[in-house]
Amino acid sequence: KVSSFKPGSTNQTEVVAALGKPLHTIQEADGTKIDQYPAEAGAKSGSGFWPEWIGGTSTGGAYNMISFEYSPGGILKDINGGK
């Protein structure tokens, strides 16, 4: 899913529609917003966010995060993590 998001053209509403509500949202003083999701949210087989110790099936670190950074106008600027 993550590969379908294009910095400079995708907006925050489109990301939330595809991935659901973020785990965390950070609001910077300059108006930049950063939404954070567990890496599994963007995985092709992502069935949910359940760490192995709860009984989920995780491939890799259960707490890897993907951050989506948006300009003050809500347009995607950058994607970090989840690789």
Side-chain angles (χ1 to χ4, degrees):
K1 291 179 179 178
V2 173
S3 61
S4 67
F5 304 133
K6 304 292 180 215
S9 62
T10 302
N11 66 42
Q12 186 178 17
T13 305
E14 292 171 297
V15 175
V16 173
L19 299 182
K21 189 178 179 204
L23 199 58
H24 299 288
T25 298
I26 300 164
Q27 179 78 50
E28 301 285 351
D30 66 358
T32 298
K33 264 192 192 169
I34 301 169
D35 283 349
Q36 295 184 321
Y37 290 87
E40 287 79 8
K44 289 182 180 152
S45 62
S47 57
F49 177 56
W50 288 106
E52 290 174 358
W53 56 269
I54 294 180
T57 54
S58 174
T59 55
Y63 295 104
N64 287 342
M65 300 297 284
I66 301 176
S67 297
F68 294 87
E69 186 176 341
Y70 304 97
S71 67
I75 301 299
L76 185 63
K77 285 200 314 193
D78 201 6
I79 301 171
N80 298 298
K83 301 202 167 145

